[in-house]
Amino acid sequence: MRFSTSLVAASVASVAWAIPTPASPTATDAADVYAAQATALTESPTSHVKGKVFDRYVSIWFENTDYDMAAADPNFAFFAKKGITLSNLCAVTHPSEPNYMAAVGGDYFGLNSDPFTQVPENVSSVVDLLEDKGITWGLYQEDMPYTGFEGFSWVNQKTGANDYVRKHNPEILYNSVVTKPHRASLIKNLTEFHKDLKANKLPQWLFITPNMTSDGHDTSVTVAGQWLKTFLTPLLKDKNFLQNTLVLLTFDENETYTIQNKVFSVLLGDAVPEYLVGTTDDSYYNHYSEIATVEANWNLHTLGRYDVGANVFSNVGRSTGDQIRTFGPEFSSYYYNFSYPGIFNALGGSYWSPQPVPDVYSTCNERSILPSIKETWEKDADQTVYTGSLVVPDGYHIPVYPKGK
Ligand SMILES: *[C@@H]1O[C@H](CO)[C@@H](O)[C@H](O)[C@H]1NC(C)=O
Ligand SMILES: *[C@@H]1O[C@H](CO)[C@@H](O)[C@H](O)[C@H]1NC(C)=O
Ligand SMILES: *[C@@H]1O[C@H](CO)[C@@H](O)[C@H](O)[C@H]1NC(C)=O
Ligand SMILES: *[C@@H]1O[C@H](CO)[C@@H](O)[C@H](O)[C@H]1NC(C)=O
Ligand SMILES: *[C@@H]1O[C@H](CO)[C@@H](O)[C@H](O)[C@H]1NC(C)=O
């Protein structure tokens, strides 16, 4: 969340040429946005691929709230009683954007601020894994002005208040997604969510981001909790939503930078069995667990990044045979409040490091890397940074996972 000093203006000035050029999808001025709105391609494909534990996965992300604050909010507490509280899920760094990036791509590539970022096209994300198995996906971003919009932000046109921001839209950051019109057509707003719900055309994997008011970013956890109550209560009675559905409620990051970056998270929905309702799971998870859990459920390939070593949520791991790793007391001294070096690290100098090569050989509970990722990166396989011995991911060093796990 904290605004970066290196904001890169994404707007493209529109010039009145005789032959009008189509508005750039990154343009943020109202005229270009309205022009693009009129022609944006929106699609809603459906699929019914059975998972081992759930058949639909929905994550809803809120903003910048310390664990205790969220747990104390009456609305978040209400939904926690309907599911499993994850009392030890850590964000991967600060601020927002790298956490969203990590949750779908298995790394944040050193990003330590919230600029206009484009992940190179040769980096895959979870949607490559889902499409490989014919599983439909969609992102629903409240107040995104049109489907596939790539602009930096969009404000409420009446009040000027922040509405939609690119940094909270994980898949739009990936060029492997936005360069394919079919994929961009699946990154929609919440108006489209309600249409898809009504038509029983929701996909099987969904990522939902409320606007900057609703997610607590510009407001408080109280406002976020009220939004959640209004949004989720009817869905938990809706057969078009509940189709053996697992819902994750989580926050991108903790607000206080000097304490461990733990975020309040809850799993609920009709895929959570009765005996787990109202329980707490204190296993160590992070935002990479969100990819690992989806991989385990549908037996997907992996990205060969931090998804491979991340703990699968135990309500799922129990059925898929994924072992949940435990860590000793040293774990409590890792704060996850600082980004390691990488291609996007704004500090530069010794904080720059090359684009990391996925580990093309390690497997996770027999799940291997997606063949197309292997093909792209195999020639550089010896340069991978993602391999090593079993250590606690400490958030300062590029973490490693157990080779051959
Ligand atoms: C952030 O995480 C810490 C430690 O994991 C947790 O105790 C805390 O409740 C969260 N927020 C605050 C204010 O400490
Ligand atoms: C949502 O997206 C649709 C499709 O691009 C667009 O027509 C509509 O105006 C958008 N709604 C809002 C509230 O921005
Ligand atoms: C954000 O969404 C809420 C409803 O969910 C809406 O009332 C509000 O106008 C939207 N935008 C802003 C800037 O508050
Ligand atoms: C991370 O937390 C530790 C422990 O409180 C603190 O010493 C350090 O300054 C924090 N780092 C940042 C970048 O905030
Ligand atoms: C991936 O893309 C980056 C940026 O375009 C390029 O520097 C790198 O060589 C590419 N690597 C592979 C293995 O394709």
Side-chain angles (χ1 to χ4, degrees), residues 94 256-260 333-339 396:
H94 288 297
T256 308
Y257 277 40
T258 49
I259 53 178
Q260 197 185 40
S333 63
Y334 298 135
Y335 295 99
Y336 310 104
N337 61 359
F338 192 75
S339 294
Y396 290 94

